[in-house]
Amino acid sequence: MPFYLNEEEQDGRSAAHPDKDWGASIQEESHSRAGLPARGGGGFLCRYIIGKKGETKKRLETETRTSISIPKPGVEGEIVITGQHRSGVISARTRIDVLLDSFRKKQPFTHFLSIALNQPAIQEKFLQFKEEVLEKCSKDHGVSSSLFQNPAKLHLTLGTLVLLNEQEIQKACDLLQRCKEDFVDQIAGGKPLTVEVSGVEYMNDDPAVTDVLYAKVHMKDGSDRLQVIADQLVERFVASGLMLKEWDRVKLHATVMNTVFRKDPSAEERNNTMTGKSSFKERESFNGRNILKLFENFYFGEVQLDSVRLSQRFSSDASGYYATSGQLTF
C-alpha cells in the first residue's frame, strides 16, 4: 500500500504494507489524510468496518484520534481518514487494512483462476469414463451418476479469489496481463502447452471414504512448465492481496467426481477440493477403491492449453464453461 508524500515528507520513512496497492495517498498539510477504496461499496463491507451501532468505527477514531468517513449505503467511493497527526492516520489505516483482510478471509470466493479442459475430445473420453464407472462400480457404496463433473466445466483450478467489486475484478484482469508479459510468454515460449490427462487419484487418506476423485495432468514433454506458470501466477496474486496463500505448490488436478455434487449438481465450485471442505455440513462419501483399481491409468486424452482465465463462480457462458471476467493467452 504505497503512500505518496510531498517533498518535505520524503525523508526515508516507510509506509505500512508497502506491498499492497490500494490506490491510496497521504499528504501532510495542516492535517493528515488517507483514502482507500471502500471495497464492495457502502454495503455489507462498510457495515463490517462500522460495526454494531457504530462501535468499531468509534473505537478506531478514539484510539487513533482520527475521523473516518465511510460512503453511505449504495454509494461507491473511498473510506477517508483524516487527523492532525500522520502517525494516527497511518495507525487507523493499518487497522482498517487488518479488518478488511479479516473480512476477505471470511467470504466465500467469487472467482478463480482456471485452465479449461473441456475440449470435445476430453469431454468424450470423460463421458466414456463416467459410463464405464457406472457400469462396473455402481453397486459400490455411494457411487451414483450425480457425483460426476459437468463435462463442459472440466478444468484445472490454480487458485481462488474474493473480488468484492468491479475495481478488484479489473485489478485482477490487469494483473493477469502483467503476468503474461513478465513471465508466462517466456516460460510457454509463445506457444500452447501440450498436456496429457491420464489416471485418477483421490484427495483424502482412505479410498473407501472418498469425497473427491480427480484426473491427473502432466506436460507431454515431461517438463514442469505448466507447474512453474501455475505457481508463479499464484505467487503474484497472493502478493497483490487478492488471493490467500494456501499451499507451497499448486496441485494440478481436474475434478471428475465430487460428493458435493450429490446434493447440488450446480455447485461445481462450492467446495474447496484441495481440503475436501464443503458448505454442506454432511457429505455422503463413496467407496472409490474399485474405481481406483480399474481406472488407475484411464487415458482422458491430450490437449493444447493456451489460456488462463479469471472465471466467475456459479456461472456459465454459451459453451457451458464458466463465464470469464478476463484471461491471458499463451
Side-chain angles (χ1 to χ4, degrees):
M1 173 175 39
F3 287 81
Y4 304 99
L5 310 180
N6 61 26
E7 292 183 1
E8 290 78 15
E9 292 297 320
Q10 296 181 19
D11 58 3
R13 288 177 290 180
S14 62
H17 306 296
D19 59 329
K20 290 188 179 180
D21 180 4
W22 299 87
S25 63
I26 179 171
Q27 294 182 345
E28 287 283 354
E29 295 173 353
S30 59
H31 63 276
S32 296
R33 180 182 185 276
L36 65 161
R39 296 177 289 177
F44 58 93
L45 171 58
C46 288
R47 289 199 297 272
Y48 186 79
I49 297 171
I50 292 170
K52 186 177 181 181
K53 297 182 180 180
E55 292 176 357
T56 302
K57 177 175 176 288
K58 289 176 184 177
R59 184 173 67 252
L60 282 172
E61 290 177 322
T62 299
E63 294 177 356
T64 61
R65 297 183 180 181
T66 59
S67 174
I68 302 172
S69 176
I70 297 176
K72 295 180 180 179
V75 177
E76 194 80 15
E78 287 191 334
I79 298 169
V80 178
I81 308 164
T82 58
Q84 292 299 318
H85 301 286
R86 182 177 186 277
S87 59
V89 172
I90 292 176
S91 176
R93 175 62 183 269
T94 300
R95 291 177 62 173
I96 288 178
D97 273 335
V98 172
L99 280 174
L100 295 178
D101 285 342
S102 173
F103 177 84
R104 185 185 295 279
K105 291 175 183 178
K106 294 178 181 179
Q107 304 311 302
F109 70 88
T110 60
H111 295 72
F112 56 103
L113 295 183
S114 77
I115 297 179
L117 295 175
N118 63 343
Q119 289 81 350
I122 300 293
Q123 289 197 48
E124 184 178 347
K125 291 293 290 185
F126 169 77
L127 290 173
Q128 178 188 334
F129 168 78
K130 176 180 178 179
E131 181 181 352
E132 292 184 10
V133 168
L134 292 176
E135 178 184 340
K136 299 175 181 179
C137 307
S138 61
K139 294 183 179 180
D140 294 345
H141 175 75
V143 174
S144 75
S145 61
S146 65
L147 300 182
F148 291 84
Q149 172 69 283
N150 178 346
K153 291 190 171 181
L154 288 166
H155 68 279
L156 304 177
T157 296
L158 306 187
T160 60
L161 306 95
V162 177
L163 304 178
L164 299 175
N165 58 21
E166 289 300 323
Q167 181 180 11
E168 290 196 345
I169 293 173
Q170 186 59 53
K171 181 180 177 182
C173 292
D174 293 343
L175 181 55
L176 263 183
Q177 294 309 309
R178 289 200 299 274
C179 289
K180 168 183 170 64
E181 297 167 3
D182 291 348
F183 62 86
V184 173
D185 280 346
Q186 180 180 358
I187 297 171
K191 299 178 181 179
L193 301 178
T194 303
V195 304
E196 290 183 318
V197 184
S198 178
V200 293
E201 190 55 88
Y202 62 107
M203 285 290 183
N204 51 307
D205 298 327
D206 185 354
V209 187
T210 298
D211 281 317
V212 177
L213 191 78
Y214 64 90
K216 295 181 284 187
V217 179
H218 59 271
M219 289 287 298
K220 187 176 181 180
D221 64 8
S223 73
D224 64 349
R225 288 185 294 160
L226 179 58
Q227 184 71 56
V228 172
I229 288 173
D231 290 341
Q232 290 194 21
L233 280 170
V234 168
E235 182 180 338
R236 284 289 189 92
F237 272 81
V238 169
S240 76
L242 294 175
M243 184 182 288
L244 297 176
K245 184 176 178 62
E246 295 184 89
W247 315 98
D248 292 333
R249 302 180 76 220
V250 174
K251 187 175 184 65
L252 298 174
H253 71 285
T255 297
V256 292
M257 296 176 70
N258 193 332
T259 56
V260 77
F261 301 157
R262 192 194 305 277
K263 290 191 176 183
D264 185 354
S266 68
E268 289 90 352
E269 285 298 325
R270 181 157 298 177
N271 72 311
N272 180 338
T273 57
M274 300 299 293
T275 61
K277 291 180 180 178
S278 169
S279 58
F280 298 111
K281 292 184 178 180
E282 296 181 2
R283 296 174 66 167
E284 181 189 351
S285 300
F286 65 94
N287 186 342
R289 286 182 296 187
N290 283 333
I291 297 175
L292 288 162
K293 180 180 179 180
L294 295 172
F295 299 93
E296 179 182 7
N297 298 311
F298 187 90
Y299 188 70
F300 291 90
E302 176 183 309
V303 63
Q304 303 284 317
L305 305 182
D306 61 3
S307 67
V308 177
R309 310 187 192 193
L310 178 64
S311 298
Q312 300 175 31
R313 191 183 185 193
F314 304 137
S315 68
S316 297
D317 62 15
S319 73
Y321 194 69
Y322 300 95
T324 301
S325 296
Q327 66 179 327
L328 68 79
T329 56
F330 303 159

